[in-house]
Amino acid sequence: LHGKLFTLDLHAANNYPHPKETSTYDIPLPDECDDATYLTALKTSLSKALTEVQPQLVLYNAGVDVFHADKLGRLDLSWEGMER
């Protein structure tokens, strides 16, 4: 699947004190990252990945660790930010 599959991982940089598994596109974000910062990073990195890889299928798993009430995720997205 080399050249046909990619992973894009937006994550709180400080969630990984130990080396994390490498993604094709790793986007470390600051703690308490807000909606605007997250969505800008998502738009920019996803656009780059889609242009470079030109996939025929995209699966998106947002998870829940981006939500401001998730104590483990370290990010600070609102419901509205997650909906966008």
Side-chain angles (χ1 to χ4, degrees):
L1 294 176
H2 180 70
K4 296 183 181 207
L5 177 70
F6 76 89
T7 54
L8 169 63
D9 185 9
L10 280 75
H11 57 274
N14 292 324
N15 261 7
Y16 296 97
H18 305 286
K20 69 177 270 319
E21 291 297 321
T22 303
S23 298
T24 312
Y25 300 92
D26 273 309
I27 313 299
L29 299 169
D31 284 358
E32 300 180 7
C33 175
D34 62 10
D35 293 349
T37 303
Y38 183 89
L39 293 170
T40 297
L42 176 60
K43 181 178 179 179
T44 302
S45 57
L46 185 57
S47 178
K48 177 181 179 184
L50 293 175
T51 298
E52 291 178 0
V53 179
Q54 298 182 351
Q56 295 180 353
L57 174 67
V58 174
L59 302 174
Y60 180 70
N61 178 4
V64 296
D65 59 344
V66 298
F67 185 51
H68 70 87
D70 186 299
K71 301 301 180 200
L72 301 176
R74 296 179 169 259
L75 301 179
D76 198 27
L77 270 68
S78 66
W79 278 118
E80 294 80 16
M82 291 189 320
E83 288 176 346
R84 285 193 264 157

